Amino acid sequence: MNTSLTGKLRSLGAGLRALLVLTLVTGVLYPLAVTGVSQLLMPGRANGSEVRADGRVVGSSLIGQSYALPLKKGQGTADPDLRWFQGRPAAGLGTNSENTRYSLLLSGATNLAADNKVLVQRVEDAKAAVVRDNSVPGRPVHPADVPADAVTSSGSGLDPDISPEYARLQTHRVAARNHLPVPEVARLVRDHTEGRALGFLGEPRVNVLELNIALKELAARR
């Protein structure tokens, strides 16, 4: 056999062996190792930070969801279901157009400037709605009491958390709608308020999904 051809075949064989080894290591062994370690050390995060209630998965603690009433005929936007704590406005980049089986909001910021007329009007409308929806007899909400996160979306548009201030602002309305004592609903908010990570990172927050699950359990015991 030609010497040069023999050398080429050997080189080809070596290349194929290297490809197989690298495929096995990086495409099989490494992913299995990472998956195994993550399942062992942090199974909740590895599986999407699932939140369970009534024996089933009801969402993720990392992604906000809406608490709205069914759409009425001719209605473009559903009204909020005021029995529940409401999250931040979900104003992402739009809705999905490929997988139309699910009504999903595309994550991302709108990038509108602070003085943009559309954004200003959106904030004013949201503030008016927060004041209207959360004012109860003997306990009106004043526009100055509305926190920023109640009228603005997060950078992702899918923030699962709200500020303790916004949660407390909703307490009287939630208590009235569910026929619950205000102190008990306020206690739920306190119990579900998380502090800053490591004591100094981020801001105190309340996970809306977890708070509403606790609210449902409280209402069921009454």
Side-chain angles (χ1 to χ4, degrees), residues 21-185:
V21 170
L22 289 174
T23 300
L24 178 63
V25 172
T26 63
V28 179
L29 297 180
Y30 178 73
L32 286 176
V34 171
T35 301
V37 170
S38 61
Q39 288 290 340
L40 180 64
L41 299 180
M42 51 184 75
R45 293 183 180 182
N47 293 323
S49 299
E50 296 174 339
V51 177
R52 292 179 173 271
D54 300 324
R56 63 187 181 89
V57 176
V58 296
S60 169
S61 63
L62 302 177
I63 301 176
Q65 55 183 274
S66 64
Y67 299 88
L69 297 169
L71 278 171
K72 299 176 182 177
K73 186 176 181 180
Q75 192 177 33
T77 303
D79 294 324
D81 189 341
L82 298 180
R83 296 174 300 169
W84 306 105
F85 286 93
Q86 298 294 313
R88 297 183 68 171
L93 298 177
T95 55
N96 65 308
S97 58
E98 296 295 330
N99 184 0
T100 55
R101 179 180 176 186
Y102 301 101
S103 178
L104 303 176
L105 186 73
L106 302 183
S107 176
T110 59
N111 291 328
L112 296 177
D115 60 350
N116 182 278
K117 293 181 179 180
V118 173
L119 179 60
V120 171
Q121 188 61 52
R122 184 180 296 168
V123 169
E124 290 178 352
D125 292 344
K127 179 176 288 189
V130 170
V131 169
R132 180 187 67 245
D133 292 343
N134 291 282
S135 293
V136 299
R139 188 82 180 192
V141 173
H142 301 286
D145 297 330
V146 178
D149 64 302
V151 297
T152 58
S153 63
S154 63
S156 68
L158 302 174
D159 196 339
D161 304 319
I162 57 176
S163 66
E165 292 78 15
Y166 187 27
R168 287 193 293 267
L169 182 146
Q170 300 182 64
T171 297
H172 285 79
R173 182 256 299 164
V174 169
R177 295 276 177 161
N178 290 279
H179 308 290
L180 294 170
V182 172
E184 292 191 23
V185 178

Side-chain angles (χ1 to χ4, degrees), residues 190-209:
R190 291 194 301 271
D191 291 345
H192 287 81
T193 298
E194 300 180 45
R196 293 179 173 87
L198 302 179
F200 66 94
L201 294 175
E203 295 294 330
R205 62 202 181 278
V206 179
N207 187 279
V208 181
L209 174 58

